[in-house]
């Protein structure tokens, strides 16, 4: 999803970021896409990121392309050219592989966890005893799960409060509102209610056969109820037959 024109539009409308999209063609057919966004503006503060505010990014190559190595080298050489020509102070290229580029260092601090979706009984059996114990607690019957809500305002209220409590940067409401409206078919807002009050929120992004957990939060006051366990088990059961990975 983060390589789509829709996400490009979200970033441009929300934060005014300038984009640079590069393509590789083979016999008049696009076989690779390499999006970048400029963040900052001064000579010593100009940054180029692929992709901002996303768990993954960098270039993608059509799996049907025969010469993937050639396409990859074209993109990497373009990256080095951009650094020199545009006098970029900082560049960030997300990739699931270690890439060797002059002037760039590999940072292996950030990781993404991927769950292969399968029969819910098999998945449940793989949970640790402590997780199964939490899911069996009586309190879970008092937690109401809502899938594909349109309540973007409640989502943002809980998300922003949680982030501020942690002292972490908060996305603007405009960002989430644009994301929700521009990519409505891909966005799933999930809620947990307790005693008719929304206490936990999650925003999922769906694309093809994948679901990405993008943002979520629980009100500090209700964390003792462990609503996130209920939330994710319900999400897994809801998406299990339609998608392959979470």
């Amino acid at each position: 999803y983060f390589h789509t024109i829709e996400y490009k539009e979200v970033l441009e409308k929300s934060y005014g970021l300038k984009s640079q999209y590069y393509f590789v063609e083979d016999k008049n057919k696009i076989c690779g896409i390499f999006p970048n966004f400029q963040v900052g503006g001064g000579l010593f503060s100009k940054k180029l990121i692929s992709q901002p505010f996303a768990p993954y990014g960098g270039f993608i190559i059509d799996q049907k392309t025969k010469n993937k190595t050639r396409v990859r080298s074209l993109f990497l050489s373009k990256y080095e050219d951009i650094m020199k020509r545009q006098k970029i102070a900082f560049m960030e290229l997300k990739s699931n592989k270690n890439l060797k580029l002059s002037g760039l260092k590999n940072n292996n601090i950030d990781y993404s966890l991927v769950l292969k979706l399968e029969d819910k009984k098999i998945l449940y059996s793989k949970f640790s005893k402590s997780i199964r114990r939490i899911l069996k607690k009586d309190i879970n019957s008092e937690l109401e799960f809502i899938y594909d809500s349109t309540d973007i305002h409640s989502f943002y209220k809980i998300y922003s409060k949680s982030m501020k409590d942690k002292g972490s940067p908060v996305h603007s409401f405009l960002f989430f509102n644009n994301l929700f409206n521009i990519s409505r078919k891909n966005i799933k807002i999930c809620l947990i209610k307790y005693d008719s009050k929304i206490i936990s929120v999650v925003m999922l992004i769906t694309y093809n056969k994948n679901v990405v957990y993008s943002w979520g939060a629980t009100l500090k006051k209700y964390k003792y109820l462990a609503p996130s366990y209920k939330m994710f088990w319900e999400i897994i059961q809801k998406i299990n037959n339609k998608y392959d990975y979470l």
Side-chain angles (χ1 to χ4, degrees):
Y1 168 78
F2 297 103
H3 291 76
T4 63
I5 295 300
E6 286 81 6
Y7 190 61
K8 171 180 179 288
E9 187 180 349
V10 169
L11 293 179
E12 289 175 342
K13 285 188 173 181
S14 305
Y15 295 119
L17 301 183
K18 295 179 180 178
S19 62
Q20 300 176 19
Y21 274 63
Y22 300 96
F23 304 89
V24 171
E25 289 187 353
D26 182 18
K27 297 178 182 177
N28 297 319
K29 183 182 177 182
I30 293 174
C31 59
I33 301 173
F34 185 16
N36 294 273
F37 287 83
Q38 184 178 316
V39 180
L43 180 62
F44 300 105
S45 62
K46 192 191 295 184
K47 301 176 183 179
L48 208 61
I49 301 176
S50 180
Q51 301 274 66
F53 318 126
Y56 61 85
F59 50 79
I60 53 172
I61 302 170
D62 188 339
Q63 291 305 302
K64 295 178 182 177
T65 302
K66 292 181 179 178
N67 199 345
K68 296 184 184 67
T69 305
R70 172 62 178 157
V71 177
R72 187 177 294 110
S73 6
L74 284 171
F75 279 139
L76 292 178
S77 62
K78 186 65 182 176
Y79 217 66
E80 293 181 325
D81 176 62
I82 294 170
M83 289 178 70
K84 294 174 183 175
R85 187 164 42 85
Q86 298 188 21
K87 297 180 180 179
I88 303 297
F90 174 87
M91 300 184 74
E92 181 181 296
L93 170 60
K94 296 184 177 79
S95 174
N96 59 0
K97 296 180 180 179
N98 285 330
L99 302 173
K100 293 182 179 179
L101 283 169
S102 61
L104 293 182
K105 294 181 180 179
N106 282 318
N107 181 347
N108 297 319
I109 294 175
D110 298 321
Y111 295 90
S112 292
L113 301 177
V114 178
L115 175 67
K116 187 179 188 307
L117 297 171
E118 50 189 332
D119 182 83
K120 65 180 182 180
K121 290 182 179 178
I122 296 174
L123 280 174
Y124 188 81
S125 68
K126 292 179 180 179
F127 291 163
S128 67
K129 289 182 179 179
S130 60
I131 291 177
R132 291 201 295 260
R133 196 179 304 119
I134 291 171
L135 290 173
K136 287 177 181 177
K137 282 184 176 180
D138 292 338
I139 190 64
N140 279 292
S141 63
E142 298 179 41
L143 300 178
E144 179 189 356
F145 172 72
I146 300 171
Y147 181 75
D148 201 10
S149 167
T150 58
D151 194 350
I152 186 73
H153 291 277
S154 291
F155 165 82
Y156 189 75
K157 183 179 178 181
I158 293 177
Y159 155 80
S160 58
K161 177 171 174 41
S162 177
M163 295 297 282
K164 287 174 182 176
D165 287 346
K166 295 174 184 175
S168 300
V170 181
H171 271 299
S172 66
F173 176 76
L174 181 62
F175 171 77
F176 286 111
N177 199 44
N178 283 334
L179 189 63
F180 188 73
N181 290 317
I182 292 170
S183 303
R184 179 64 189 96
K185 65 179 181 179
N186 302 103
I187 305 300
K188 306 295 180 188
I189 294 176
C190 303
L191 313 173
I192 290 286
K193 283 186 175 182
Y194 176 64
D195 198 20
S196 300
K197 179 182 176 65
I198 298 172
I199 64 169
S200 186
V201 297
V202 158
M203 181 178 282
L204 303 172
I205 296 179
T206 65
Y207 194 73
N208 290 335
K209 300 294 284 183
N210 302 313
V211 178
V212 179
Y213 163 62
S214 304
W215 297 274
T218 295
L219 291 175
K220 191 175 181 180
K221 169 180 184 180
Y222 295 97
K223 284 192 174 181
Y224 75 95
L225 295 172
S228 57
Y229 288 90
K230 166 86 170 178
M231 173 80 83
F232 280 98
W233 178 232
E234 293 289 349
I235 287 172
I236 287 170
Q237 294 180 87
K238 194 73 180 176
I239 67 176
N240 198 36
N241 296 323
K242 190 175 180 181
Y243 300 96
D244 293 338
Y245 295 95
L246 170 63

